[in-house]
Amino acid sequence: MYVGADVISALQFTRSDVEKLIALAEEIRRVYETGGRLDVAKGKVLFTAFFEPSTRTRLSFQFAMIKLGGAVVDLGPEEVTSMAKGESPEDTLRTVDSYNPDIIVVRHREPGFAAKAAEICRAPVINAGDGYNEHPTQALLDVYTMWRIFKRLDGLVAGLMGDLKYGRTISSLSYTLSNFRDIKLYFISPRELRPREEVLKILDQRRVHYELVERPEEVVEKLDVLYVTRLQKERMSPEEYERLKGSYTVTYDYLARFKKIPVVLHPLPRVWELSRDVDVLPQAQYFEQAKNGLYVRMALIKTILGV
Ligand code: NCD
């Protein structure tokens, strides 16, 4: 990962990029958790442009930049910008880029939008989610969380469950894990929600071992990690949502019947697919996962700024 790099796809990440970002995130975490500060981004500005809803991704990028001593400008909701007058997101970005931000973080419902933004903008662009396509920085915090728990990524067995077709965290996480040795992925979903062909093709090219399964009970006891995702309601037809709703739910009682309960992760937000009674289990690590997003994004910002 070089200074000034755009971060558009997790396919960009090498094993060494991931390892360096994890090491840097750990270092930054130590500084902050012992009351230190790192004002390395002083005088730099990060611009967040979210054309789709977000809580964790937007706010953790903003917190990350401010905690590094930098400043943040946020686009704000559509109704207060000229988008409400019919301006295109492209024109909005071109204009803000001319004010010279040091990094632009962008989310949009259109697959490929981040790549387009990177062409338009002089500033480095970070993809914070482009439709069903990718969410590379989520993958970084997902693997950082796994590394913190297992102290390695090689040899991990992960079950990725839920909406694997429209969930952009799935493609990015699979691509990122594909850099490591002896990874085994179980894609757990109804047939209609299996990962897209283009994603499986890339995993085949990268010689990743994976299996498609329909019922979690077939594999739960083999897993180190169960990564649950929500049905991407906004990316499917209402009929499809109604049909698939409730096709899988992870509850405390469901997990309690297995001899071995894997670490449970979720990119959040959760709706009904992961019940709140799971939170009491020591294996429930999704809030820790969200917290890790802060440190890994600080590491990424620091790296891209070259400070
Ligand atoms: C995810 C996303 O936006 O893709 N959320 C997140 O960034 N943590 C997952 C989701 O919305 O289901």
Side-chain angles (χ1 to χ4, degrees), residues 52-54 56-57 107 128-129 131 135 138 167-169 229-230 232 234-235 266-269 297:
E52 241 195 2
S54 170
R56 273 153 292 273
T57 308
R107 169 175 286 189
H135 192 351
Q138 177 70 41
R168 56 194 169 200
T169 65
T229 62
R230 96 187 145 87
Q232 304 283 298
E234 67 275 37
R235 308 191 202 290
H266 191 305
L268 303 177
R297 288 183 170 122

Side-chain angles (χ1 to χ4, degrees), residues 117-290:
E119 270 172 38
I120 296 172
C121 300
R122 179 209 52 87
V125 169
I126 300 178
N127 181 6
D130 59 330
Y132 57 72
N133 187 37
E134 279 215 55
H135 192 351
T137 67
Q138 177 70 41
L140 290 175
L141 74 95
D142 295 341
V143 299
Y144 176 40
T145 303
M146 294 177 197
W147 181 87
R148 290 203 95 228
I149 296 167
F150 297 100
K151 293 293 174 261
R152 65 181 164 92
L153 292 168
D154 289 323
L156 282 189
V157 181
L160 278 48
M161 175 172 171
D163 186 348
L164 313 181
K165 181 176 175 190
Y166 299 109
R168 56 194 169 200
T169 65
I170 297 297
S171 46
S172 292
L173 175 57
S174 309
Y175 298 160
T176 305
L177 283 172
S178 75
N179 286 303
F180 294 85
R181 278 189 293 276
D182 302 323
I183 293 292
K184 174 88 199 220
L185 300 178
Y186 289 100
F187 290 116
I188 310 163
S189 72
R191 295 181 83 81
E192 295 106 304
L193 295 176
R194 285 178 172 177
R196 296 183 304 283
E197 275 308 313
E198 86 237 24
V199 176
L200 295 179
K201 214 164 117 196
I202 290 171
L203 297 180
D204 288 336
Q205 282 161 3
R206 294 188 158 211
R207 306 195 184 294
V208 178
H209 296 282
Y210 66 81
E211 267 179 53
L212 305 173
V213 298
E214 280 177 49
R215 290 197 320 276
E217 47 276 20
E218 296 171 41
V219 295
V220 167
E221 287 176 356
K222 297 185 199 165
L223 304 177
D224 296 309
V225 175
L226 177 64
Y227 185 96
V228 186
T229 62
R230 96 187 145 87
L231 222 58
Q232 304 283 298
K233 187 178 183 181
E234 67 275 37
R235 308 191 202 290
M236 57 179 70
S237 67
E239 301 78 54
E240 206 175 359
Y241 182 75
E242 280 311 311
R243 190 172 67 247
L244 295 165
K245 190 175 69 176
S247 53
Y248 57 92
T249 315
V250 176
T251 62
Y252 178 93
D253 287 342
Y254 177 77
L255 290 171
R257 58 185 162 127
F258 297 104
K259 282 202 284 293
K260 179 190 155 206
I261 301 178
V263 165
V264 181
L265 300 181
H266 191 305
L268 303 177
R270 64 170 151 187
V271 262
W272 42 259
E273 71 287 346
L274 178 60
S275 89
R276 284 172 56 185
D277 59 11
V278 175
D279 298 2
V280 299
L281 290 172
Q283 288 91 341
Q285 290 291 319
Y286 26 89
F287 288 109
E288 189 62 25
Q289 180 186 1

Side-chain angles (χ1 to χ4, degrees), residues 21 25 137 140-141 144 292-301:
L21 287 168
T137 67
L140 290 175
L141 74 95
Y144 176 40
N292 291 338
L294 173 71
Y295 295 110
V296 97
R297 288 183 170 122
M298 287 173 89
L300 185 67
I301 291 170

